[in-house]
Amino acid sequence: MDMKSGRKRPRVRWRTQDTELTFLALPTTIWYILFCFLPMFGLIIAFKDFKIHGGFLSNVIHSKWSGFKNFEFLFKSNDAWVVIRNTLGYNLIFIILGIVVPVTLAMMIGQLHNSKAGKVYQTLMFLPYFLSWVVVSAIVWAFLSFDKGIANQFLGSLGKDPVNWYMEPKYWPYFLVFMNVWKGLGYGMVVYLATITGIDSTYYEAAVIDGASKWQQARFITLPLMKLVIVMMFILAVGRIFYTDFGLFFQVPRNSNSLFDVATTLDVLVYSQLKTATVGMASASAFVQSVMGCLTILTANWIVRRVDRESAMM
Amino acid sequence: MSSRTQFESGLDKFNRVKTGTNVGFHLIFIVLSLLCLIPVIVVLSISFSSEDSIRNGGYHIFPTAFSGEAYHYIAQQGKLISKALGISVLVTVVGTVLGVMLTTSMGYVLSRPNYKLNGFLTWIVFIPMVFNGGLVSSYYINSNLLGLKDTVWALILPLAVSSFNVIICKTFFRSTIPDALIESAEIDGSSQLRIFFSIVLPISLPVLATIGLFLCFSYWNDWFNSMLYIDNQDLYSLQALLNSLMTNVDALAKNASVMGISYAQLVATMPKESARMAVAIIIVLPVAIAYPFFQKYFISGLTVGAVKG
C-alpha cells in the first residue's frame, strides 16, 4: 500500500483512511468470522457421522460422510412432525397477534385524554419485556404449581377441584400464546407508537375539517401510514417462522413430559437432542431450521417486493 | 405521549375521542397494566412470606404471615449468591463495554460512504441476519474449537454484537453526524481512529445509551449461555442459579459444611420456597428500578432503528 502518495490521487486508490477504517472494523469483523461464519461451515456436521470425542476439527475432517441419513432419522421419527406443526402453528398465531394487538393498543393509547396516565400504562406494560424467562418461569410456577399455586387456591375457594396444570396439555396452547403476547406487548407498542407519533398532525387537521370521525381517521390516515413498519415487522417475523423463543417453550412449561405434544418446538428439540448427545439428529434439525429460515425470509421479502417495492427490506 | 395529545389547541380538543370511549380505554389499560405488575408483586410477597405459611396455605398474592427469613437466610449463607451476583455484574459490565465498542466501531466504518471495503463489510454484517449456523454447530465451534466451555467468555463473547444494533448505529451516524465535521477533521490531519474516538463518540451519546442499555439488559437476563456452556457452579450467574433452584431447591444448601451444620439439617431448616422467589427478586429489582428512567432512550433508539437504511 502506498500511503503517502495515495492522499493526492483521485478516490479510486486505496487511501490512508481506508487502512485506518479497516483497522477500526477489524475486531468486529473477526467477531463475525468466529461467531457467525465459522458455524455456517459447521453445518456440514449434519451430513457427517459425527462423534464427539477428541478435537473438533479432526472430528469434522475424519468423520465419515453419511449423506442424508441424519435427515432420514429425523423425519422418520414421529416427533419431527409434531414439533414442526407446533413451531409453525404457534408462530402463525404469534405473528397475527403480535401485529394486531400492539397496533390496536398503540392507536388507543395515543387517544387517551390524559397523556401522563398513558405514559404510566406504557411503562408498566413494558416491564415484562425486561424479565428473563427464568424469572417468568418462577412467576408462572407461583400461579400454576399444583399444591401451592394461586390458581388452584382460587379454584379451591370456588369449591372446585385443583388442576394439575403442568400435566394438562389442553390448557397450554392458551397459556403459551398468552405469555408470548404478555411479554412482547410493551416492546411492540413502543415500536408502533413511535410511528404514530411521527405522523404529521396536519393530516388529522385536514381530516377534521373534512368532517372525518375518529374511526375514519384511524382507518384512512393512521393505518395506511403505519403500513411500512407493519410490513417490516411482518417480514422479520415470517423470516423467523422456523425459530421460536426458546425460553418460552423451554422454561415456562418446565420441560414437563406430558406437555411434549403441545409445547415442544424446533428450538427445544434441537437443544434436547444436543444434550442427549444425538448429535446427528440435532445437527439435521438445526440445518432444517437454518436453511428453511433463510428461504422463508427471502421468500417473504420477494413477495412483498412484488406487491409493494417500497415496503421490501432489501 | 404524542405531541398531538399534549398540544391542547382548540382543534385538538375538538378532535378527541368521546369521554365514554376515553374511560373505556383507560379501563382496558388499567387491566393490562395490572396484568403486567401483579405477577412481580406476587413474587415479591412470596419472598416475604414465612415458610410455614407457604407450607400450610400455599402462595398468596399478599403474604399471610410476613417474614424476612428468606433474605436473612440468603445473607447468612451468601457465598453462593454473592459469587453469582459477582459473575452477573462482571459479565454485564465487561459485555456491555465490549459490545458497545464492537458495535459502534463497525457502525461508524459502515457509515463512511467513501470507504473502499464498505460493500464487503455490509455483506459481512447482513448475511448473518438471514442465515446462521444454528445451535449445534455454534455450540461445537464455541466450546471445542474456541475453547470457551466453562469460561466467563462463553457468557460474554457470543452476545456482544448483533447486526441489528450495528445497523442502528450506522443509520444514526450517517443521519446525525455532518460529513463536513469529519472532512474538516481529516483536513486537519486527524486519523480515522482519532476522529471516531474523540469526535464521533462524544457527540453520539443517544445511540451509545440505547445500545449500551439493551446490551446491559440482555447480559443481565441471559441464562441460555450459562445453561449451554457452564457446568462449573463457581461460574453461575444469578440467572443460572435461579434456574438450578427452580429444578432443585436444595441447591442453595450446597455449601452446608461451610456453616458447620449437616446437609440434612440445613435442608430441613432452610426457607426453600421463599428463598427461590427471593433470588428472583434480587434479579428483577435492579431492572425494574432502572428501566423506567432509561425508557426514553430506548424509545428514541428504536425509532432510529425503524428508519430504513
Side-chain angles (χ1 to χ4, degrees):
Chain A
M1 265 170 287
D2 114 22
M3 298 197 186
K4 280 213 172 119
S5 61
R7 284 216 138 198
K8 293 166 201 149
R9 302 262 168 95
R11 295 204 152 152
V12 212
R13 293 289 302 269
W14 181 274
R15 295 162 304 160
T16 321
Q17 57 158 286
D18 288 323
T19 315
E20 289 161 359
L21 287 171
T22 309
F23 190 65
L24 200 54
L26 198 61
T28 319
T29 312
I30 293 173
W31 184 92
Y32 268 104
I33 291 169
L34 291 183
F35 293 96
C36 291
F37 289 92
L38 271 185
M40 288 182 198
F41 296 105
L43 279 176
I44 53 170
I45 302 177
F47 300 96
K48 290 237 174 184
D49 188 10
F50 187 71
K51 302 273 188 314
I52 37 171
H53 306 291
F56 176 77
L57 268 187
S58 70
N59 257 327
V60 173
I61 295 163
H62 295 299
S63 28
K64 283 197 207 92
W65 289 100
S66 63
F68 288 94
K69 223 167 71 196
N70 288 329
F71 293 89
E72 253 180 77
F73 279 129
L74 174 69
F75 286 109
K76 271 187 186 150
S77 71
N78 294 324
D79 295 352
W81 299 111
V82 172
V83 167
I84 289 174
R85 179 205 69 192
N86 286 347
T87 311
L88 298 181
Y90 281 118
N91 268 324
L92 280 177
I93 299 169
F94 291 170
I95 289 172
I96 295 168
L97 290 181
I99 289 173
V100 174
V101 179
V103 167
T104 315
L105 289 175
M107 285 165 73
M108 281 164 63
I109 210 168
Q111 300 297 335
L112 293 178
H113 294 183
N114 181 347
S115 67
K116 273 213 180 94
K119 233 167 219 158
V120 173
Y121 299 146
Q122 213 197 337
T123 305
L124 288 173
M125 288 162 77
F126 212 165
L127 177 65
Y129 180 78
F130 295 103
L131 303 180
S132 76
W133 281 115
V134 182
V135 169
V136 173
S137 151
I139 292 174
V140 174
W141 175 254
F143 281 87
L144 297 184
S145 126
F146 178 66
D147 48 346
K148 305 184 198 73
I150 290 168
N152 278 348
Q153 285 178 43
F154 180 68
L155 286 181
S157 69
L158 295 179
K160 290 188 179 150
D161 288 335
V163 178
N164 199 344
W165 301 101
Y166 288 94
M167 306 289 267
E168 294 283 354
K170 62 181 171 196
Y171 303 114
W172 279 84
Y174 304 102
F175 289 161
L176 292 168
V177 168
F178 177 80
M179 293 313 289
N180 180 276
V181 174
W182 178 78
K183 201 161 187 291
L185 195 55
Y187 182 88
M189 274 176 67
V190 165
V191 172
Y192 294 116
L193 198 59
T195 326
I196 295 176
T197 318
I199 295 174
D200 190 344
S201 62
T202 51
Y203 286 116
Y204 295 99
E205 281 161 26
V208 172
I209 290 164
D210 289 347
S213 68
K214 268 280 145 195
W215 177 250
Q216 285 168 323
Q217 292 173 34
R219 168 80 183 74
F220 297 108
I221 302 173
T222 319
L223 270 181
L225 287 171
M226 287 171 83
K227 194 184 76 182
L228 196 73
V229 176
I230 293 177
V231 171
M232 204 180 82
M233 300 293 272
F234 176 75
I235 299 176
L236 286 174
V238 169
R240 308 274 310 161
I241 203 163
F242 280 84
Y243 294 89
T244 49
D245 197 332
F246 179 77
L248 172 63
F249 291 94
F250 181 81
Q251 290 286 6
V252 178
R254 306 176 62 77
N255 225 355
S256 165
N257 277 331
S258 23
L259 302 180
F260 182 92
D261 281 354
V262 293
T264 309
T265 56
L266 267 168
D267 299 84
V268 181
L269 182 76
V270 171
Y271 177 78
S272 52
Q273 285 171 340
L274 180 69
K275 281 288 148 170
T276 50
T278 41
V279 183
M281 257 161 77
S283 52
S285 317
F287 187 89
V288 170
Q289 243 188 338
S290 312
V291 173
M292 294 305 288
C294 179
L295 289 179
T296 43
I297 196 166
L298 294 178
T299 314
N301 187 63
W302 183 80
I303 292 172
V304 170
R305 208 188 169 111
R306 281 281 139 132
V307 179
D308 177 9
R309 232 192 131 70
E310 277 296 297
S311 308
M313 253 183 27
M314 27 191 159
Chain B
M1 224 47 17
S2 70
S3 54
R4 272 187 296 116
T5 41
Q6 276 162 0
F7 186 55
E8 295 272 325
S9 79
L11 184 63
D12 270 9
K13 221 163 192 168
F14 170 67
N15 189 30
R16 280 173 149 187
V17 288
K18 291 193 195 88
T19 314
T21 321
N22 183 47
V23 171
F25 282 5
H26 272 289
L27 283 178
I28 292 174
F29 282 112
I30 289 171
V31 169
L32 289 172
S33 303
L34 287 178
L35 275 179
C36 295
L37 187 64
I38 286 175
V40 178
I41 293 177
V42 167
V43 172
L44 187 67
S45 74
I46 295 174
S47 77
F48 277 114
S49 295
S50 79
E51 195 65 11
D52 284 341
S53 74
I54 296 175
R55 205 169 291 139
N56 300 328
Y59 302 137
H60 284 285
I61 295 185
F62 299 105
T64 45
F66 185 87
S67 152
E69 62 182 321
Y71 293 94
H72 181 69
Y73 175 79
I74 282 178
Q76 208 179 30
Q77 67 140 53
K79 212 177 145 202
L80 206 59
I81 301 273
S82 59
K83 221 181 240 170
L85 182 67
I87 293 286
S88 278
V89 171
L90 175 82
V91 164
T92 306
V93 171
V94 176
T96 304
V97 172
L98 184 75
V100 166
M101 284 325 297
L102 290 176
T103 310
T104 48
S105 59
M106 192 60 146
Y108 172 70
V109 172
L110 289 180
S111 77
R112 307 309 319 134
N114 298 325
Y115 174 50
K116 284 281 158 329
L117 298 180
N118 205 322
F120 171 72
L121 289 183
T122 303
W123 280 106
I124 293 264
V125 172
F126 175 70
I127 291 171
M129 283 181 91
V130 287
F131 191 67
N132 64 68
L135 178 67
V136 181
S137 73
S138 300
Y139 174 79
Y140 282 111
I141 299 275
N142 290 345
S143 56
N144 294 22
L145 193 67
L146 305 177
L148 300 181
K149 181 109 192 158
D150 265 335
T151 64
V152 237
W153 294 109
L155 304 178
I156 294 173
L157 289 175
L159 290 178
V161 185
S162 97
S163 294
F164 188 69
N165 285 347
V166 173
I167 288 169
I168 288 181
C169 279
K170 175 194 145 177
T171 315
F172 180 89
F173 290 141
R174 188 165 282 173
S175 56
T176 53
I177 309 268
D179 276 343
L181 184 70
I182 289 170
E183 269 162 33
S184 67
E186 277 166 6
I187 291 165
D188 288 345
S190 298
S191 72
Q192 290 292 328
L193 287 169
R194 203 184 148 146
I195 294 174
F196 174 66
F197 285 108
S198 40
I199 297 175
V200 174
L201 282 190
I203 57 173
S204 305
L205 274 177
V207 80
L208 291 184
T210 310
I211 299 220
L213 286 166
F214 267 106
L215 279 170
C216 214
F217 286 125
S218 64
Y219 276 111
W220 181 259
N221 278 335
D222 174 56
W223 48 276
F224 185 60
N225 285 306
S226 287
M227 195 174 78
L228 209 51
Y229 298 111
I230 305 294
D231 294 330
N232 178 359
Q233 281 226 348
D234 288 345
L235 293 176
Y236 270 15
S237 60
L238 282 177
Q239 304 281 348
L241 185 68
L242 178 60
N243 201 9
S244 82
L245 284 182
M246 286 310 290
T247 42
N248 170 24
V249 220
D250 298 345
L252 259 185
K254 275 268 157 63
N255 45 357
S257 55
V258 182
M259 295 178 63
I261 33 171
S262 76
Y263 178 77
Q265 219 176 343
L266 188 66
V267 169
T269 55
M270 66 181 276
K272 293 181 199 174
E273 300 290 342
S274 46
R276 192 188 248 170
M277 299 299 169
V279 175
I281 289 300
I282 296 176
I283 295 174
V284 171
L285 216 56
V287 174
I289 291 173
Y291 94 86
F293 294 104
F294 298 110
Q295 202 174 358
K296 62 169 192 264
Y297 290 108
F298 304 144
I299 295 175
S300 60
L302 286 171
T303 323
V304 173
V307 177
K308 220 169 123 179

